Amino acid sequence: MRRAAVLLAMLALVAGCASRRLVRHGQVNEDALETLRHRLVALRGLAFTTPVPVLPLSREGIGSVVKDEIEQSYAPGDIEHAEAVYTRLGLLPPGTNLRPALEGLYQQEGAGFYDPRTKRLVVAESVPGAPSVGAGLLGFLTGRDLVSEFLVAHELTHALQDQHYHLPTRPEPLLDGHGDRELARHAQLDRRTIDMVVGQLHGVPGELAKKYPDLPELLRASLAFQYDDGTAFVGQALAAGGWAAVDRVHLDPPESTEQVLHPPRYYADRDRPITVTLGGTDGLEAIGFTRILEDTLGELLIRVLATRVLPAERAAQVAEGWGGDRLRALQRGNDLVLVWMTAWDSPTEAGEFADALPGLVPDARVERREERVLVLQGPPDIDRTGLARRVWSRATVVRPEREAVTRPLGDGTGGCKAGARFL
C-alpha cells in the first residue's frame, strides 16, 4: 500500500548513512542503490525475491511512460465515461478534460514509479521542483540526494509489496467498479518518529492546492488521501505491532475509505461497508440506454462533493455517517441518467445528507426512506417518479454485522529495527 511505502521510505532516510547521489548524469549509482536496498530489507523484514531493474529516463521519457501507463490502467473509453458522470454529479467542474489532467499530474509528480507489469522501477534523471531549504542544506552537508533517495525507497517498497503480495496489473471494469475499496487499499519505530512523519504529511493537501490550483479537487484529494490519511492509518499498525502488524493489514486490507479516515472502524470495531445492489433500470435499457459506469463512491468522494459548497469541517460531518453506496450511469446519445443510492448508519445521518443534496447536486430528484437516500439525475423527458419507484422496489441493501477485532496488533513496542487509481 502506498501509505506503508511512504512510512518506510521516510524511516529509511532517517536510518541511512549512504553517500553520493543515486542518479547522476543519467546513470544509476549502483553502490548507493544497493545500500538503500539493504536498508529497506533490514527495516521492513522482507527480502527481495528477484532484482528490481532501475531505468533512468529523461523528463520526456517519463511523460511517454506516464501516457502508456494511463492507457494500460483504464479500458478504452473509461476515462471519458468517468469524466461525463463525475461532471454531471458535480465531482468535477464543468469543462474538465480528465485525461490531460491525469497526464499532467502524474508527469509532474511522477518523478519515478514502479511498474508491476514490467517489474521495473523508472526514475527521472533529474527530480523536478526545488527541494526544501532543509533538504537542500542537509543534502549539501551529507553528500546525499535525499529527494531521490526518498523517491527510490518509496518505489522499491512497492516492488517489495508486489513480490510478496502481488500488485494488480489489470484495470478494474468500470461497469463493476469498487473505486472506494481500491482507493482505500492504495493508501497501505517508535511513536515519536511516526508522529513526525505523519505531521509532515499533513501539509500535503495544502501543498498540492498551492502547486496545482487548476487541478480538480477530486484528483488532489484522492492523491493527498493516500499520503496523509493513509500514512496515519498504517502508522497505527506499525507503532502497535511493528511490520508484522503491517503485513496483517496487507493480507486483510481496508474495505473502504471510511475505515482509513476513521482507523478505529478498522482496527477496533470493524465497520464493514453496506452492500448496495441496484435494480429497476431495465425500462431505460429497453429504450436504448446503455450502462457505462457502476461504482461505489465512498465517504471520501462524498466529502469532496460536499466541500464544493460547504466548509471543510461541515463537509466531513455530512459524509461521516456513510455506510455504503452504489452509482449507476446509463447513456443514450447525449442523454445521461444517474441512479445513486446511498445507505447511512442512521436515519438522522441519512437526513443530514439528503438535506444537503439540493445544494450539492442541483436538478436532482432526492428521496429518503429511513437510512437510505436515492438520487436521480436525467433529461426532463425521463419519468423520474416511475424510475424512483422501480429502483426502490428492486434495489437491495445488505448490512454486515459489526465485527469486534479481537486479534491484537502487537505488544506496543513497535518492532522496528534500524539497519507505494485516483477514482
Side-chain angles (χ1 to χ4, degrees):
M1 292 179 290
R2 185 182 302 275
R3 41 195 175 264
V6 172
L7 266 176
L8 185 57
M10 295 191 76
L11 292 171
L13 295 189
V14 171
C17 56
S19 62
R20 298 184 294 174
R21 295 183 178 276
L22 279 171
V23 180
R24 190 177 182 87
H25 303 306
Q27 299 293 320
V28 176
N29 182 332
E30 292 295 340
D31 290 340
L33 182 62
E34 187 62 22
T35 299
L36 191 56
R37 285 196 193 102
H38 281 300
R39 197 184 310 150
L40 284 172
V41 169
L43 278 169
R44 186 60 182 84
L46 292 177
F48 288 98
T49 59
T50 58
V52 181
V54 180
L55 176 65
L57 291 177
S58 65
R59 295 306 304 167
E60 293 75 16
I62 287 285
S64 177
V65 171
V66 165
K67 288 185 177 182
D68 182 66
E69 178 69 14
I70 290 175
E71 289 297 325
Q72 295 288 331
S73 298
Y74 299 92
D78 275 4
I79 291 180
E80 289 69 29
H81 287 155
E83 176 187 301
V85 171
Y86 289 132
T87 300
R88 173 66 62 85
L89 192 60
L91 280 166
L92 290 173
T96 297
N97 197 332
L98 195 51
R99 185 180 295 272
L102 279 171
E103 291 177 356
L105 173 64
Y106 289 123
Q107 186 168 355
Q108 289 298 316
E109 292 299 314
F113 52 86
Y114 172 75
D115 185 353
R117 297 182 186 88
T118 62
K119 311 300 181 185
R120 71 181 182 181
L121 195 165
V122 175
V123 61
E125 293 174 354
S126 60
V127 178
S132 67
V133 174
L137 178 60
L138 188 57
F140 174 78
L141 294 174
T142 63
R144 295 169 59 190
D145 183 0
L146 298 180
V147 177
S148 291
E149 284 186 36
F150 174 83
L151 167 69
V152 174
H154 183 175
E155 299 306 325
L156 281 175
T157 302
H158 287 314
L160 272 175
Q161 292 168 345
D162 187 30
Q163 291 181 6
H164 289 270
Y165 302 108
H166 307 297
L167 299 179
T169 58
R170 293 185 178 182
E172 184 178 62
L174 204 63
L175 286 173
D176 187 24
H178 299 276
D180 182 62
R181 182 184 67 194
E182 294 306 309
L183 184 55
R185 292 181 177 185
H186 285 175
Q188 312 231 61
L189 325 165
D190 56 62
R191 169 58 64 184
R192 190 170 160 190
T193 302
I194 293 170
D195 287 345
M196 177 197 73
V197 172
V198 172
Q200 290 292 322
L201 290 170
H202 279 331
V204 168
E207 289 299 319
L208 288 173
K210 286 191 291 185
K211 190 173 183 180
Y212 303 109
D214 298 326
L215 191 71
E217 177 61 20
L218 172 65
L219 300 187
R220 287 202 306 259
S222 298
L223 185 62
F225 164 80
Q226 296 176 61
Y227 285 97
D228 185 3
D229 299 288
T231 301
F233 174 83
V234 168
Q236 292 202 18
L238 184 61
W243 291 109
V246 176
D247 288 339
R248 289 196 289 273
V249 176
H250 275 293
L251 296 172
D252 180 22
E255 299 170 275
S256 66
T257 55
E258 176 193 36
Q259 292 177 346
V260 178
L261 291 166
H262 311 283
R265 301 181 191 179
Y266 173 87
Y267 291 116
D269 189 10
R270 184 71 63 88
D271 190 356
R272 297 191 180 279
I274 297 167
T275 301
V276 178
T277 303
L278 292 172
T281 62
D282 48 311
L284 289 174
E285 294 170 60
I287 60 173
F289 280 87
T290 302
R291 299 183 196 184
I292 62 170
L293 176 147
E294 185 151 332
D295 202 0
T296 299
L297 300 189
E299 181 176 339
L300 178 69
L301 293 198
I302 291 177
R303 182 186 292 188
V304 172
L305 178 64
T307 304
R308 292 180 61 247
V309 296
L310 298 173
E313 184 175 343
R314 176 60 183 151
Q317 291 174 347
V318 167
E320 186 173 345
W322 177 90
D325 74 85
R326 201 68 177 161
L327 170 69
R328 178 179 293 174
L330 305 99
Q331 189 175 52
R332 183 184 65 183
N334 293 325
D335 289 336
L336 185 63
V337 175
L338 303 186
V339 178
W340 184 27
M341 181 171 284
T342 60
W344 297 80
D345 292 337
S346 71
T348 299
E349 288 161 319
E352 191 173 20
F353 176 65
D355 291 343
L357 273 169
L360 306 181
V361 188
D363 303 322
R365 182 186 183 94
V366 178
E367 295 185 7
R368 180 176 75 85
R369 295 186 183 181
E370 298 298 329
E371 296 95 349
R372 289 187 287 170
V373 179
L374 175 63
V375 180
L376 299 178
Q377 274 193 319
D381 58 339
I382 294 296
D383 178 12
R384 297 189 187 185
T385 300
L387 177 59
R389 184 174 60 252
R390 291 190 296 274
V391 172
W392 279 117
S393 66
R394 299 181 190 177
T396 62
V397 171
V398 178
R399 292 181 174 271
E401 295 292 331
R402 291 181 79 98
E403 175 188 346
V405 180
T406 57
R407 181 177 58 188
L409 287 174
D411 60 7
T413 59
C416 300
K417 301 176 181 178
R421 191 148 142 118
F422 77 97
L423 299 174

